[in-house]
């Protein structure tokens, strides 16, 4: 019998992904070429958030020790965060109430970084995994801020610039780590090793590292930022589809939650970069209209 741990988060994420694609269908049909990735950014953002929210619900007891000791009622906060992630994910996937969901999601991830990562900074940065985690969460914040810039027009320039820089920094770090540690999995290069039996295992991670490094640097340059964001996002989405998702059966049910987390993290960061591209495109269109 399949354990609820890993199974239900995966099912929830898949259902929301299908619904998100359906809700984005008009945008998807109107988009051309690589722009179709951008058209699906909200679906790609929403699905993993719902999966992670359901994970909090089914693993609340196990995750409770992750809450800092000085915060009371640990289990409550695990379930609260789970509910918040599900609500945010559904909001993004459906494209409803994003005006509030985006900045609130950014605030929540920033609180995670401030309370979980930064207090143990000296321990975090001892290896490459720590550096990746240190920059990953601010990257998620950056994508949400870029999305918020589409709705909070008075702060549009600041939100988009800060969001773009935060995502670019994370992409550059992922690229550098991928080049320095070709033995780990591609995309978000954490501690998991590349399977030796996978075709092209020796070059896939460094090849992705080169693309991410170039894309991240491009994102820092305004005239190349859209292309860099789309490239980074497309690489992450394609890795989700052709690398991580096909490996799910190989993990077995005992490690299914870990597999779902890798799928969700990679897709979520792909969406994060694509949200920056979406915001840049909308911002450029607005500038063109105002100039006419």
């Amino acid at each position: 019998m399949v354990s609820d741990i890993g199974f239900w988060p995966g099912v929830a994420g898949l259902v929301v992904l299908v619904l998100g694609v359906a809700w984005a269908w008009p945008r998807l049909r109107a988009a051309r070429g690589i722009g179709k990735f951008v058209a699906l950014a909200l679906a790609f953002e929403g699905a993993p958030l719902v999966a992670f929210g359901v994970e909090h619900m089914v693993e609340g007891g196990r995750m409770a020790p992750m809450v800092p000791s000085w915060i009371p009622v640990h289990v409550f906060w695990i379930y609260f965060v789970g509910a918040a992630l599900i609500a945010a994910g559904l909001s993004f996937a459906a494209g409803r109430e994003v005006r509030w969901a985006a900045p609130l999601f950014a605030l929540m991830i920033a609180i995670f970084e401030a309370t979980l990562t930064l207090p143990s900074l000296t321990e975090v940065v001892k290896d490459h995994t720590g550096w990746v985690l240190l920059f990953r969460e601010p990257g998620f914040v950056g994508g949400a801020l870029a999305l918020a810039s589409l709705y909070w027009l008075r702060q549009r320039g600041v939100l988009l610039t800060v969001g773009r820089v935060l995502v670019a920094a994370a992409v550059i770090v992922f690229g550098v780590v991928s080049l320095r540690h070709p033995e780990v999995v591609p995309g978000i290069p954490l501690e998991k090793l590349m399977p030796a039996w996978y075709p092209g295992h020796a070059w896939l991670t460094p090849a992705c590292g080169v693309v991410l490094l170039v894309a991240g640097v491009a994102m820092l340059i305004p005239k190349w930022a859209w292309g860099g964001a789309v490239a980074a996002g497309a690489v992450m989405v394609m890795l989700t589809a052709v690398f991580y998702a096909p490996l799910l059966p190989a993990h077995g049910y005992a490690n299914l939650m870990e597999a779902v987390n890798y799928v969700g993290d990679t897709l979520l960061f792909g969406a994060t970069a694509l949200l920056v591209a979406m915001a840049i495109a909308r911002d450029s269109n607005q500038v063109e209209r105002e100039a006419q």
Side-chain angles (χ1 to χ4, degrees):
M1 183 175 180
V2 178
S3 170
D4 288 356
I5 298 175
F7 177 75
W8 291 116
V11 169
L14 182 59
V15 169
V16 174
L17 178 61
V18 172
L19 290 174
V21 172
W23 285 322
W25 193 253
R27 297 193 302 272
L28 183 62
R29 291 188 61 184
R32 295 291 181 270
I34 200 169
K36 291 185 180 294
F37 282 102
V38 181
L40 293 173
L42 289 174
F44 295 153
E45 180 85 358
L49 291 183
V50 170
F52 294 150
V54 174
E55 178 186 359
H56 279 65
M57 297 302 182
V58 300
E59 292 203 87
R62 186 186 68 83
M63 299 177 71
M66 297 171 60
V67 179
S69 59
W70 53 269
I71 298 178
V73 199
H74 291 186
V75 174
F76 165 78
W77 290 109
I78 295 297
Y79 289 131
F80 177 83
V81 168
L85 289 171
I86 292 171
L90 291 173
S91 175
F92 292 142
R96 302 294 180 87
E97 303 301 331
V98 178
R99 175 182 177 88
W100 293 106
L104 288 174
F105 174 67
L107 176 61
M108 182 173 69
I109 300 301
I111 291 173
F112 292 166
E113 184 80 353
T115 58
L116 298 177
T117 304
L118 295 182
S120 57
L121 184 61
T122 55
E123 293 296 321
V124 167
V125 298
K126 284 185 176 180
D127 57 26
H128 77 273
T129 300
W131 283 102
V132 170
L133 294 174
L134 179 65
F135 281 85
R136 184 186 64 179
E137 268 58 37
F140 291 147
V141 172
L145 292 179
L147 179 60
S149 73
L150 299 175
Y151 300 89
W152 298 88
L153 299 183
R154 290 186 178 180
Q155 293 80 30
R156 178 175 59 192
V158 173
L159 290 173
L160 178 53
T161 299
V162 172
R164 175 170 59 85
V165 171
L166 288 176
V167 177
V171 172
I172 290 172
V173 169
F174 296 167
V176 171
V177 172
S178 296
L179 291 173
R180 290 178 58 87
H181 296 275
E183 73 279 5
V184 301
V185 290
I188 302 178
L190 294 171
E191 71 277 4
K192 191 170 186 62
L193 298 179
M194 187 74 175
W197 53 264
Y198 193 86
H201 67 274
W203 57 263
L204 182 58
T205 295
C208 290
V210 170
V211 175
L212 291 175
L213 181 57
V214 173
V217 172
M219 290 179 66
L220 295 175
I221 304 171
K223 67 176 182 178
W224 295 340
W226 184 87
V230 174
V235 166
M236 293 291 187
V237 172
M238 292 174 66
L239 283 173
T240 304
V242 304
F243 180 75
Y244 287 107
L247 288 181
L248 276 171
H251 285 77
Y253 293 138
N255 297 314
L256 186 58
M257 192 67 255
E258 178 190 51
V260 170
N261 280 332
Y262 270 93
V263 170
D265 272 350
T266 309
L267 183 60
L268 182 59
F269 203 91
T272 294
L274 294 174
L275 290 177
V276 174
M278 177 188 292
I280 291 172
R282 297 272 184 89
D283 189 58
S284 298
N285 292 339
Q286 180 67 24
V287 170
E288 291 176 2
R289 286 194 296 270
E290 292 175 353
Q292 291 177 354

